[in-house]
Amino acid sequence: MARKEWIAMLLAGGQGSRLGMLTRNIAKPAVPFAGKYRIIDFSLSNCTYSAIDTVGVLTQYKPLLLHSYIGIGSAWDLNLEGGGLYILPPYVGEKGGIWYKGTANAVYQNIDFIEYFDPRFVLIISGDHIYKMDYSLMLEYHKDKNAEATIAVIEVPWEEASRFGIMICGENGAVLDFAEKPKKPRSNLASMGVYIFNWDILKEYLFLDEEDPLSENDFGKNVIPRLLKDKRKVYAYPFKGYWKDVGTIESYYTANMDLLKPLPEMDLFDDTIKIYSKPSVLPPHYIGSGGGVKNSLVPDGCVILGQVERSVLFPGVYVGEGSYVKDSILLPNVKIERESIIWRSIIGENTTIGSRVKVGLKSDKYFNQEALTVLGDGIIVPDGVEIEQGASIKSWQREEAKIS
Amino acid sequence: MMGIITNTKSEDILGELTQHRSMSAVPFGCRYRLIDFPLSNMVNSGIKNIAVVMTNKSRALLDHLNSGKEWSLDRKSEGLFLLPSASPRLFQKKNKFDLKDLWENFDYLQRARQKYVVLSGNNVIFNGNYQKGLQYHKEKGADVTLYYKEEGAHNLSPGSFNYFEVKENGRVTSIHSCPSKTENNQVSLETIILERSLLMEIVKLAADTGNWDLGDVLLDNINELKVFGYPFKGYAGKINSLVSYFRHSMELLQPQVQQELFFANGPIYTKIKDGPPVKYTETAETANILAGSGCYIEGKVENSLLFRGVAVGRGSLIRKSIIMQNSIIEENVVLENVILDKDVFVRKGTVLKGEEGKPVVIGKRTVI
């Protein structure tokens, strides 16, 4: 087989434990986002746009839904001869096998896969981020700089810089130093977790990393610092645009709500990089005579008989007559019966809320702007129940207190 | 069982809407085209060998069907077949099922291995499982089974071989072109089940005699052939005029109709567009609407259908209208009883009103 210019390795094995209720049953890349997508759609669609024809998707944590969602990649036009999308879970060989210990170890365990395609360059990305990016421009930059490794960076507000992996760069873009979550950041250029390596260099450093018993086998923490220590040619590729790690419930909520702004930083209606997703095969959505929707995103298959304001709905959501949903995210197939109120809440997939239920209200402080209320997947909330603001509910049992 | 979707002969009955496309490709229900209904029914009935007869205006249809992958018909064995039409059909307008098309593609019929065939017109919308019709066909020991629905005369219009006389035992005794009763007219749903061998015999006979009309052949042999009528009970519509197109579209605003047409026996598949979810802004007002993905709504929309990718500007009012794909309506526009075909651009402040139930149709890519 002819040598490939480049292939992508997409890290999709993380649990995303800080997303709590949202990743109880599914991996973070499979979490629904922006009304009809799942988080991994963004990275996969970027690959499609960048004309990468071979993508290995490394999975580990609760992969069932993720695997069935990705399939053979046809939704992203990645079902290709001589390449395509491959799902790469951990496996065993003659000498047994181990789970993926870290991001670098996950790629290390799939060296055979990469060797099979024999690429000149390997793009490492993750399925955890929301952004639209043309990786092919980054590859050009990598080649122009004659780099051995290139790290995509984005300017973040200085006050937030200590939450990221921060790059200190020379004027020509060469990375001089790297600090993971520094207390006193010396720069505001944050690593986006997007790397391009020359394959021969990456392979060498994956072996070195694996031999190091003290290594956590992580790209950011171990592989990049080692490359810098060895004075390898590492460059930073400055990316301009929207990029968000929806790592926590709060950032997940904010990123969804950002889309409702009149001019969102990431415009889903801008087709420049089209975001593809697995189609849901549902009819158009219906808004009833007594229904009203304002400042919201509504995908196919929804039936809205009540009022919805400043909310993001997902396919198959039902809002019954007289119900009122505000500042909320209703994940796929959420059903809300009649005359219920949902405020500032995230309601998990397939959860049914009965009639005259109140979710996320504080009787004395109706307009409390603070806490989000989160209901997990597949819960059935009976009629007339009140769920206090800030509650986080994973199952409903009759005897159970209101807050679990 | 195998399936064949045939043409409607008088395809110009929808005027502007069939100017550039075949009846099969007429947009319907915010995201579908008419052919999606029989085609999805066939797929949902477990049919793996499906042919679609082309017309002289096939571009939109070919683009829509492509490899058939949205219906899981891009198979190595069988799957979707596109059959060329026998003639451009400029003048013949009366035949219902054109046997000439099937004679032209006789090899296809000969090569198929299935025992039974379901023939469907391309202007009927319902969500049904043809296995039920086949079971009825077998139970009755029928030679030919014709689908029909019962309807009062109110909304009916004449059409060749449109109405059946069905006896209590289910036997069809006559076929008419006009509704004959005020109540319970048996309206043809252009769906026929018969054995492939019988269909081939009829096609050969047609080639010999020059009578290319299946309706005629059935009527001529109504006593010799055991022709039975299968009463379809769910929601069913037949698009044979602009008025009926508009009426059936508006009926989609009833949740009961949505349930019966979009879910009853399985999903209706269509070409995927990958548009974003619909965005309703702060100024949007909505009541009783059905909308496909990718719309951007800033104005007021009532009792209307919006296809995928429609934009409605601030201060605009859309009532009782059908707005097709990617049409753009600027600010302060008033539309009432209007059908906008695809890619229409309506400039600021335009006011356009049609008659109740008789909509004004604006052709594809018009700027008004």
Side-chain angles (χ1 to χ4, degrees), chain A residues 218-395:
Chain A
D218 184 89
F219 276 102
K221 284 182 200 152
N222 309 105
V223 176
I224 300 298
R226 189 188 292 271
L227 281 160
L228 290 171
K229 203 181 79 193
D230 292 357
K231 301 268 186 279
R232 288 290 181 177
K233 286 182 276 180
V234 181
Y235 281 80
Y237 171 72
F239 172 75
K240 302 253 186 294
Y242 184 87
W243 175 85
K244 195 133 194 165
D245 178 6
V246 285
T248 62
I249 292 271
E250 287 73 22
S251 67
Y252 174 79
Y253 178 81
T254 313
N256 273 286
M257 290 299 153
D258 279 351
L259 299 163
L260 300 177
K261 291 178 185 166
L263 290 169
E265 288 166 274
M266 193 183 60
D267 189 358
L268 296 170
F269 284 79
D270 172 14
D271 264 359
T272 317
I273 298 184
K274 192 164 184 166
I275 305 302
Y276 298 105
S277 63
K278 191 175 171 182
S280 50
V281 196
L282 286 167
H285 69 251
Y286 175 65
I287 302 174
S289 299
V293 179
K294 271 185 196 302
N295 199 13
S296 296
L297 287 175
V298 185
D300 288 337
C302 292
V303 174
I304 317 292
L305 306 178
Q307 301 293 320
V308 175
E309 265 179 59
R310 195 172 173 265
S311 294
V312 176
L313 310 192
F314 285 80
V317 161
Y318 176 90
V319 178
E321 278 172 61
S323 285
Y324 179 56
V325 177
K326 187 164 193 299
D327 295 348
S328 294
I329 298 172
L330 308 185
L331 296 181
N333 303 316
V334 164
K335 187 172 187 194
I336 294 165
E337 309 275 7
R338 304 164 72 96
E339 292 157 49
S340 290
I341 299 175
I342 315 292
W343 191 71
R344 225 179 132 72
S345 300
I346 301 173
I347 314 289
E349 279 191 72
N350 301 314
T351 283
T352 297
I353 290 174
S355 297
R356 301 176 310 285
V357 172
K358 289 179 180 164
V359 182
L361 293 181
K362 257 189 180 162
S363 45
D364 50 336
K365 286 186 223 158
Y366 187 93
F367 289 106
N368 185 330
Q369 293 290 334
E370 302 295 310
L372 290 163
T373 310
V374 186
L375 270 63
D377 298 340
I379 300 174
I380 295 175
V381 179
D383 293 351
V385 164
E386 290 187 21
I387 294 172
E388 271 197 37
Q389 186 179 14
S392 183
I393 299 196
K394 60 172 182 252
S395 66

Side-chain angles (χ1 to χ4, degrees), chain A residues 23-91:
Chain A
T23 51
R24 228 160 60 82
N25 300 313
I26 53 176
K28 178 174 167 187
V31 168
F33 184 80
K36 70 173 281 197
Y37 308 98
R38 294 190 183 259
I39 293 173
I40 198 170
D41 289 338
F42 291 83
S43 301
L44 285 174
S45 301
N46 288 341
C47 286
T48 306
Y49 186 82
S50 310
I52 298 174
D53 68 3
T54 307
V55 182
V57 181
L58 301 137
T59 63
Q60 174 156 285
Y61 175 80
K62 295 204 176 170
L64 174 63
L65 191 135
L66 185 58
H67 287 182
S68 71
Y69 182 73
I70 300 171
I72 55 166
S74 17
W76 304 271
D77 268 351
L78 286 168
N79 50 332
L80 297 162
E81 287 298 321
L85 184 146
Y86 295 77
I87 291 176
L88 304 169
Y91 58 91

Side-chain angles (χ1 to χ4, degrees), chain B residues 71-208:
Chain B
W71 298 267
S72 303
L73 290 172
D74 52 339
R75 298 298 94 187
K76 287 189 175 176
S77 158
E78 300 187 331
L80 182 68
F81 293 85
L82 305 176
L83 304 182
S85 179
S87 68
R89 205 177 299 100
L90 287 172
F91 302 110
Q92 327 162 241
K93 285 178 179 171
K94 76 179 196 3
N95 300 354
K96 229 31 215 157
F97 285 109
D98 194 345
L99 296 171
K100 205 171 182 180
D101 285 343
L102 298 179
W103 175 244
E104 193 77 6
N105 297 284
F106 201 71
D107 276 2
Y108 169 69
L109 282 177
Q110 220 156 14
R111 262 184 227 162
R113 62 195 166 87
Q114 286 80 7
K115 186 175 178 191
Y116 295 97
V117 184
V118 54
L119 290 164
S120 172
N122 59 2
N123 62 337
V124 280
I125 44 161
F126 62 84
N127 186 329
N129 188 330
Y130 299 124
Q131 299 294 348
K132 288 184 186 162
L134 179 62
Q135 200 185 338
Y136 178 91
H137 180 85
K138 288 177 184 169
E139 277 165 17
K140 293 288 181 186
D143 292 322
V144 178
T145 296
L146 307 173
Y147 271 54
Y148 70 88
K149 65 164 179 170
E150 303 225 320
E151 207 170 310
H154 178 58
N155 286 317
L156 301 180
S157 53
S160 49
F161 309 106
N162 237 340
Y163 303 98
F164 305 146
E165 287 294 331
V166 185
K167 280 204 300 190
E168 240 164 63
N169 66 356
R171 189 79 188 255
V172 175
T173 54
S174 188
I175 304 174
H176 309 295
S177 295
C178 285
S180 55
K181 296 168 272 191
T182 46
E183 289 301 318
N184 302 333
N185 284 288
Q186 279 98 23
V187 185
S188 164
L189 287 178
E190 315 288 346
T191 305
I192 300 173
I193 293 174
L194 74 176
E195 283 190 25
R196 182 169 55 94
S197 57
L198 176 59
L199 179 62
M200 285 163 62
E201 215 175 299
I202 291 173
V203 172
K204 271 195 260 182
L205 196 74
D208 288 344

Side-chain angles (χ1 to χ4, degrees), chain B residues 251-265:
Chain B
E251 281 172 359
L252 295 175
L253 294 171
Q254 301 165 22
Q256 180 62 29
V257 173
Q258 291 164 19
Q259 202 59 37
E260 287 184 37
L261 199 54
F262 296 145
F263 294 102
N265 285 286

